[in-house]
Every structure is written in structure tokens, then in C-alpha cells.
Amino acid sequence: MESANLIVNPFDSDVVANPAQPVAIDVPEIHREAFECCCLEYGRTGAESRSVLFHGQAGCGKTHLLSRFRRWLNDQIVRPALFAAVRMETAPSQVWRHLQRKVAEGMIEKPAGGIAPLDMILQRFARRHGNGDLASAFEEATIPDASLDLTKVCEHYAAGRHRRLCRAWFKGESLSDADLMELNLSGQVMESLDEDSGEIAARQFVLAMIRICAPEPVVLCFDQLEALSLSAASNSYGPFAKMGATLVDETRNTLVILSILGTFLPELERQSMASDYSRITKSIADLKPLDFQQGLKLVEARLAAVEELLPYRARGGVAPLDPGDLQRIFTANHGRCTARKLIHEARRLFAAWRGLPEPDSAPFDEFCGKRFEQYWDASEAATDPSQSDEALARALGEIAALAGYRVTAASGKQIDFKADSPLGPVLLALCNQRNMNSLAARLRRLARSLDEGELRRLCLVRDPRLPISPKARITNQLLRDLQAKGARIVRPRPEVVAAMDAMKRILSEATSGDLSLRGEPVEAQRVREWLAKSLPGGVREMLDSFVSGSTPAAGDALVELLQEVKIIAAREAANRLGWTLDQVENYARTNPRQVGLLAGPPSVLYHIVAAPAADRVAYA
């Protein structure tokens, strides 16, 4: 018999992070009705698209239920063409683009030892409509919203050509002119002033791909809807509800599953149009906390899965734990208890049975600091400039408030945010398009939609890793025209954008109740207070450059660029910053302690000041 203190604690894991995560222990009796509702609605897709909404407390098992449903789908004769889990950690203004990215990631991700779902989708479509030839299938079938560019990229992908570029295009990334030429795409950009062209294109992509999948179902699971409430928008849920209703109305083979904390459900209904809300809630399930009998079955299942415990479980049930100890947990919680809290308490009881001290929990500040560092290191915005727009769109308003600034999401006139400043409101426009035609269209819309006074308060936000080619004459001219009318360009450092992204993610996790310490959800307000006092210095500097309403010191952008790249040709630096070559060289000559200059031709700039330590807070 193995010594008790050597046996692994079966309650060490209490969180299912996403529906794709394997779950070894499942108790079918828990949330059986909600699970059967999903199965029933799945069977109804094909004739029409359906929807299910879950609501409940934090830690009640929403994601665990979706994992069970996904395993059930894998055993069905008609499997879904695509199963996409979509955490709504985005801005309300970017819900379609966020969905496009997650749908694309789900389509192109290869399972272990298998092929990507997109390969299967296109093969079935080609057999169904074109006798195995994809080009013929697109000629034969009428797919609403399927653009010529979409069909071209699908054909490239199916033939194994330019797959890296295809994957980027599917995810909605802005491709360079050279990349578009490789794919033989038009590069044309919609010029609508009434609606964001990025959202229009993303909506068309998602609807077209769902229709290409038909008749096989597509399952879209939207989790953490409450994260949308963190935006600076006056209507956080309306755009999402409209998107969900569109998915239900305009397709036949979609099952939309939504989950939200029960406390946020009334706000979702209030902010949604009645017609939209009815479409995204064709079925509603209340995921109530466990009763005592369900709790016993959950604890028993976890204990029974540990083979080393068999000698200690002669009595069965929850042995070696005492049912009375578990009963007291439920009594203290008015007869019901969330799965997460029960597992945490069982972890403590099991450690006590082994004769070990209660498992340590880090102090709150250390706990938050480590989680923040994890999100900061994992932020795609630090390594991928195409993620800058989404990261700023979802984080800027909330993080600005923590720093004492007032930045609110704007509606209309192509402006993303409005920031209060002593000189009046500053208008912020995110301009991180990689493709010059897309950027030119963005700048042209701004110029047309803003009056002269607004242009003087316009701040164009562009990632410094996205240079503007000298060959992009129209784009450069539009920039010069906007700057002549008072607009300014601010280039936030990538690691600072990533820090803001990480701050928003930990706050979203707390708002959704998924940030738990000692088995209890950490209140979002407590995390806000911690973030406010732990604000990285670079974040405050970036926010100040956004809302100051004045142009930063002449060489700040150049110095920041050199801090990033260390050495760069002077002409390339001028292109990135929108300066002339003479301006760059003159600044270097007059500021020799900040910028090094090697005379040319070609002239080269280098960083001669030791790079400052990363703007990170030390967490003891």
C-alpha cells in the first residue's frame, strides 16, 4: 500500500480553461438538462440555425459542460464541420473581426495526427458541387457573401500554394501589396463612411465560410460575454447581439452557444434589440450550483480515478474523505455549492487526510503579479503588429480609466476613441493596416468625415513596426495633408501595448469569475485597485502621449524607434516616422547624445544610449 502522503491530490485542478481541453472526470448528472438542450438544438440545425444561452455563477461549470458537448459531437454520425470556442475578450466595435480570427484559427489548426478542418471543408464542398474540383464547385454553387478574393484564397490553400499567406488572410490580417500580388488578389478596399469596412469584410467572410460548410453544422461557442461590459462603449452588448442574430437569421447550419454570468444577463437583454435577443436565446439554461448529492458524485468520481487510492476506498463513496465534512460545505452555502468551490475545499480536506499542511496560496499581490506577467509574456501584440489594433481597441478605455484618464469609445466619423484633455477632446484613430491601399482608404475616410477643427485634434495611432514605403505615394501624401491640418502620429511601443493587453485580460478573467484564489472568485474591483497601483510606467507615458493634445518632443519618436531596432538606415527611419531624410539627419547631428549618425551614403542611425530597463514592476 502506497503511503498516503505520496498519493497525488485528485483535486489539484479546478478549472477547465476551454472546451477543447481534455476532461478526464465527468459526472453526467451535473447539468444534464442543459447538455440535453445542446444536443437537441444541434439536431435541429440544417433546417434552421439555433441558439442556446447558459447563465450561472462563476465556477458553476459552463466550460466543463461545453467540453462534454464537444466529446459528444465527436461520436455523432453527422459531426460539425467546425467547432470554434470564442472568448469575447474584444471590443464591441470588433466583434466580427474577433469572430473571423477565431473561426479561421479553428479551421486551419491541425489536430494531432490529423488534417486541418479547412482541408475537409473544401474537399467536401468540391465533391458536392464540382466533382472534386474546387474551382468548378465555386462556379457551380451560389454562395452569398463569398467574394472573388475568398474563392481565390481557398483555391490557393486547397492546392497547397502560399499557405502561410492564406492563413494570414483567413484571419483577417492586413497583407502587404506584394503579398496580395502573390495571391492574385485585388487589394480593393471598401470606402463606406457609414460602417467600418473591417467589420463588413469580417462578417462576409464568416457567413460565407459557414455556407461553404453546409449542410454540415458549425458550432460557435461564445464564452465570457460579460468581458464586453469592460469596454468604454455606451452599448457594450448591442453589437454582439446583432452579430448573433445575424448568424441565426442568415445561415441554416449554425448552432450558437452563449455563456454569461447570471448577474450580467439583465444588462445583455437591456442593451440588445428585442428581436436580436430572441434570436440568440431560442433556448436558455440556468446552470445552478451543485446540490449535495451531485457534489458527492463529483468528489467520488475524482477519488475513484486515482488507482493508488483503491486500498483506502473499501467503503466506496467519498472515502477516505468524510461525507460530514462535505455536508458542512453545502450547509455553509445554503445547500448548494459551485463545482469550483467544492473542489477547492476537497483539495484542502484531502491534504489534511494525507497529513500534509493546507496547500499554500500566494499572497494576493504576488498572485496577481504572476498572472499579469503570464498574460504579458503571452500577448500576441508584443510580437505581431497586426494585433495592435485589436489589443488597443479592447484595452484602451478601461486601462486609461485605471490611470486616471477619461477615454471613451467613439461612434461614427471613423474615430475609435475620444480622450478628454485640458485642451479639449482628442480624437484617436487606430491605423495599423499593413496594406497601403487599406491605410490610404482609412486616411481618406478620416479626411472626408472630419471637419477642420476635428482634424487639429486627431491622433493617428500606428505601430512603429509597420513602416510606410516611400513608394506608397498616395498614402504618404494623405499623411502629409492630415499633418498639415494639425493631425499628429503617435507610435506606441509594442511592449507597452502588450502590457495594456495583459492588464485587460486579467481584468476580464476577474469579471468573468474565472480568476480564483483559495477557491473563491477574485472580485474585479480588487483587481482594478491592484492594477491601478501597479501600472507600468510605459503605459502611463503612452496614455499621456495620446491625450496630451500636443505633439511630443521632436525626437521622441526617433529615439523610441532606435530603442527598438538599435541600428537602422536613416532613410528607412524617415519612412517609418513620416519625416524627410534631412529632418532625420539634422536631428541626429544636433542631438549626438541621443542618436548616433554614421555619415553616408547611405547614412545610418544607431542607438548610443543604454536601453532603459523594461517598464515592469518587480513582484516579490
Side-chain angles (χ1 to χ4, degrees):
M1 180 184 297
E2 185 169 350
S3 174
N5 60 12
L6 297 178
I7 298 175
V8 64
N9 191 326
F11 305 100
D12 278 342
S13 174
D14 62 354
V15 175
V16 178
N18 63 75
Q21 179 180 330
V23 179
I25 308 301
D26 189 26
V27 180
E29 291 83 357
I30 296 175
H31 303 321
R32 181 188 294 275
E33 292 183 2
F35 171 72
E36 292 177 347
C37 177
C38 287
C39 299
L40 177 64
E41 296 293 7
Y42 179 78
R44 290 174 173 171
T45 59
E48 62 176 352
S49 291
R50 303 294 297 177
S51 63
V52 182
L53 182 141
F54 300 142
H55 63 94
Q57 295 181 23
C60 67
K62 298 187 294 293
T63 311
H64 190 112
L65 173 61
L66 291 176
S67 179
R68 180 195 305 171
F69 179 57
R70 184 170 191 178
R71 293 196 305 276
W72 178 85
L73 289 172
N74 290 335
D75 294 332
Q76 300 309 296
I77 296 176
V78 179
R79 296 183 180 181
L82 176 68
F83 183 104
V86 186
R87 286 197 169 190
M88 293 310 297
E89 295 176 327
T90 190
S93 61
Q94 298 208 356
V95 289
W96 279 107
R97 278 168 283 189
H98 184 64
L99 176 58
Q100 175 180 357
R101 183 173 182 83
K102 296 303 179 184
V103 165
E105 288 174 349
M107 290 193 309
I108 62 183
E109 182 178 356
K110 287 186 179 181
I115 64 174
L118 181 57
D119 289 289
M120 296 295 296
I121 291 168
L122 296 179
Q123 288 171 17
R124 286 194 297 264
F125 180 75
R127 288 196 302 267
R128 189 173 292 126
H129 299 285
N131 292 322
D133 181 68
L134 186 59
S136 299
F138 279 122
E139 290 289 340
E140 177 70 23
T142 301
I143 306 295
D145 288 311
S147 66
L148 180 59
D149 281 356
L150 172 62
T151 62
K152 287 180 180 179
V153 177
C154 285
E155 290 171 19
H156 282 306
Y157 181 90
R161 297 188 301 264
H162 311 303
R163 281 207 161 186
R164 178 184 61 82
L165 295 180
C166 291
R167 287 191 287 266
W169 189 91
F170 284 135
K171 289 189 288 187
E173 295 179 9
S174 177
L175 300 183
S176 68
D177 293 330
D179 291 339
L180 291 175
M181 288 181 64
E182 283 287 333
L183 295 174
N184 191 27
L185 302 184
S186 65
Q188 293 180 350
V189 180
M190 287 170 283
E191 295 280 354
S192 170
L193 291 176
D194 300 322
E195 192 172 0
D196 189 339
S197 59
E199 285 291 275
I200 296 173
R203 181 179 67 213
Q204 291 176 340
F205 170 86
V206 171
L207 294 176
M209 290 309 307
I210 291 174
R211 289 163 180 150
I212 290 172
C213 290
E216 283 80 20
V218 170
V219 179
L220 302 176
C221 300
F222 296 97
D223 194 12
Q224 293 188 349
L225 294 190
E226 58 276 352
L228 290 167
S229 68
L230 294 175
S231 75
S234 57
N235 183 358
S236 301
Y237 295 111
F240 171 82
K242 184 178 180 181
M243 179 179 73
T246 299
L247 291 167
V248 172
D249 271 353
E250 298 191 17
T251 67
R252 291 182 173 274
N253 57 317
T254 310
L255 175 58
V256 177
I257 301 178
L258 309 89
S259 67
I260 189 169
L261 287 179
T263 53
F264 290 87
L265 182 59
E267 193 63 16
L268 171 64
E269 182 175 8
R270 187 186 70 80
Q271 292 188 15
S272 305
M273 293 181 60
S275 58
D276 292 341
Y277 187 77
S278 67
R279 285 165 174 77
I280 64 176
T281 57
K282 289 183 178 292
S283 294
I284 299 181
D286 183 357
L287 303 186
K288 295 180 180 179
L290 309 182
D291 61 30
F292 181 53
Q293 292 303 316
Q294 291 173 328
L296 288 178
K297 290 181 179 179
L298 175 58
V299 172
E300 181 179 357
R302 289 231 176 181
L303 292 167
V306 180
E307 185 176 347
E308 293 81 2
L309 279 173
L310 288 176
Y312 299 95
R313 290 182 43 76
R315 293 181 289 117
V318 297
L321 302 186
D322 185 343
D325 291 333
L326 298 175
Q327 178 70 68
R328 283 190 284 274
I329 298 170
F330 282 84
T331 301
N333 288 274
H334 309 289
R336 286 188 174 269
C337 182
T338 65
R340 184 180 299 161
K341 183 174 180 62
L342 174 63
I343 291 171
H344 173 79
E345 293 298 327
R347 180 191 305 142
R348 182 183 62 80
L349 292 171
F350 189 85
W353 171 77
R354 291 190 301 175
L356 300 176
E358 183 174 340
D360 280 340
S361 290
F364 177 76
D365 284 1
E366 180 182 344
F367 169 77
C368 284
K370 287 181 177 179
R371 184 61 61 94
F372 170 64
E373 291 284 349
Q374 290 171 359
Y375 279 133
W376 197 352
D377 291 340
S379 175
E380 294 182 15
T383 57
D384 184 356
S386 68
Q387 295 302 300
S388 292
D389 267 2
E390 185 173 359
L392 286 169
R394 66 177 168 233
L396 185 54
E398 182 72 19
I399 305 309
L402 296 176
Y405 300 92
R406 177 176 169 77
V407 179
T408 57
S411 58
K413 291 197 172 183
Q414 303 299 315
I415 298 301
D416 295 290
F417 292 94
K418 290 185 178 181
D420 286 354
S421 82
L423 302 177
V426 176
L427 310 181
L428 303 177
L430 305 180
C431 299
N432 290 305
Q433 294 81 1
R434 191 186 299 272
N435 177 262
M436 292 299 102
N437 287 333
S438 298
L439 178 58
R442 171 75 158 143
L443 299 176
R444 194 177 291 114
R445 289 194 296 266
L446 286 165
R448 290 175 181 172
S449 62
L450 300 179
D451 60 36
E452 186 175 340
E454 292 170 320
L455 287 173
R456 286 197 295 269
R457 296 183 279 110
L458 177 61
C459 174
L460 305 173
V461 183
R462 185 166 177 83
D463 192 297
R465 296 167 294 182
L466 297 174
I468 299 174
S469 169
K471 297 180 181 179
R473 292 187 296 273
I474 295 176
T475 302
N476 281 302
Q477 186 59 52
L478 287 167
L479 275 175
R480 286 192 291 269
D481 291 345
L482 287 169
Q483 289 176 294
K485 295 175 181 177
R488 58 196 176 94
I489 303 174
V490 173
R491 294 174 173 80
R493 300 206 310 270
E495 71 272 16
V496 178
V497 176
M500 291 183 65
D501 188 30
M503 295 169 73
K504 178 61 182 287
R505 287 186 181 277
I506 190 175
L507 189 53
S508 296
E509 190 179 22
T511 301
S512 300
D514 288 340
L515 187 68
S516 62
L517 181 63
R518 304 180 188 94
E520 295 287 351
V522 177
E523 293 183 359
Q525 182 56 35
R526 192 178 181 192
V527 174
R528 281 191 180 89
E529 293 169 356
W530 179 85
L531 288 171
K533 73 178 183 182
S534 307
L535 194 72
V539 171
R540 187 175 296 279
E541 292 170 9
M542 183 180 71
L543 291 169
D544 191 52
S545 70
F546 285 165
V547 306
S548 64
S550 59
T551 304
D556 284 358
L558 179 57
V559 172
E560 288 182 4
L561 175 61
L562 288 174
Q563 287 173 348
E564 291 293 327
V565 301
K566 307 307 180 188
I567 186 169
I568 189 173
R571 185 172 295 281
E572 183 180 350
N575 292 337
R576 289 199 188 191
L577 300 177
W579 295 11
T580 66
L581 178 60
D582 285 344
Q583 285 176 319
V584 169
E585 292 179 338
N586 287 338
Y587 185 87
R589 292 189 186 98
T590 55
N591 293 273
R593 294 188 178 184
Q594 291 182 292
V595 178
L597 174 65
L598 295 175
S603 55
V604 175
L605 306 178
Y606 60 92
H607 185 219
I608 61 172
V609 180
D615 292 315
R616 300 200 177 199
V617 180
Y619 302 107

